[in-house]
Structures are given as C-alpha cells and as structure tokens.
Amino acid sequence: SESEEQEWIEAPDAWGPTEDPQGNDNDGTMLDLFGKDDPSDIFTFQIKYNNNSDAASNKTKTIRLSGFKLDSDEVDRSTGVTIWAAAPRLAHYLQEHAESTCEGKSVLELGAGLGLCGITAYYLGANMTMTDGDTHSLRKMRENVRHNCSSSSGGDG
C-alpha cells in the first residue's frame, strides 16, 4: 500500500531543498516566486484500441499525463517524472502489435515513469502491473492511472 512505501532517494539532496516557516530555502536565500517558469507539463497522446476482434469497432482514447518538462530541475532529481522519446515509440509499437504483446496478457512494467506504456497496454487488453523505483514517479504514475483509467474516463476522453 502507498502508506508502507519507503522514500527512495536518487540524488544526494533528495527531492530538493525544504523551506523553513519564514519562507527561506535551506541555503538562507528567499524563495523566488517569479524566477522560473512552472516546471510542470501535460503530455497528451492519442491511442487506438478496440474491445473485440472487430476492426470496425476501433476506438480512440486521449491519454493525458501529468509530469514535468524535460529541462526542469525535477527531472534531475527523478528521471521518471517526464516523458522520454522511447515511451511514445513503445506505445505506438504496442498499438501496432496489440494481439501479440497485450491482448489477454499479464504484463509487468518496470520503470513505468509517468505510465504511458502501461496505460496504453491496459487499453489494448493487458492485465497491467506497473512500478517504478522512485517514490515521486510512483505518485505521478498513480495520479495518471487514476485520471486515465477510471470508469468515467473511458472512450474518447
């Protein structure tokens, strides 16, 4: 369960500096609210899938993933909180080969990051288990799975 997870630290400074109650960073400087652009980003992907073997019943699904921009400091601390070039390519491959890679298969994805490939495989008929070695990536992945795979987000969402 989520409450039993141990914090995984990839970088020596963990998930960045913490603030004290006066709004100062650990290094004693004031927090600059206007110094950087918002590092968060939304990644959108369109997938095609069907619920049976009838090609005429193809559906589309827009997957929206919440993460961080590739050039943000967050990615320096946790590589799983952004989309890398291989993820959309693998998601496309899964769509092209759904019958042999996903349909009716139990799939374990290690290093799932934001979850694009696992969510795609889920819509292509896989029984998915997704994990990542970083606690912050897991949080983002869970948020993305909840947003994209809930019963209310089905169809062309």
Side-chain angles (χ1 to χ4, degrees), residues 49-60:
Y49 69 101
N50 64 38
N51 292 339
N52 56 44
S53 58
D54 180 17
S57 68
N58 281 347
K59 298 180 180 182
T60 60

Side-chain angles (χ1 to χ4, degrees), residues 53-118:
S53 58
D54 180 17
S57 68
N58 281 347
K59 298 180 180 182
T60 60
K61 168 71 179 167
T62 300
I63 297 175
R64 291 179 182 86
L65 303 172
S66 172
F68 292 98
K69 296 174 184 169
L70 187 57
D71 62 351
S72 70
D73 291 340
E74 285 78 5
V75 175
D76 291 340
R77 297 180 185 111
S78 176
T79 58
V81 295
T82 194
I83 292 292
W84 295 91
R89 291 180 179 139
L90 179 54
H92 179 72
Y93 178 87
L94 293 173
Q95 292 172 77
E96 295 291 318
H97 301 90
E99 188 175 330
S100 62
T101 60
C102 297
E103 291 176 12
K105 307 262 192 286
S106 293
V107 178
L108 170 63
E109 183 180 11
L110 304 174
L114 296 179
L116 174 62
C117 296

Side-chain angles (χ1 to χ4, degrees), residues 119-133:
I119 293 169
T120 300
Y122 167 79
Y123 276 98
L124 297 172
N127 179 16
M128 285 303 302
T129 302
M130 300 159 58
T131 189
D132 200 286

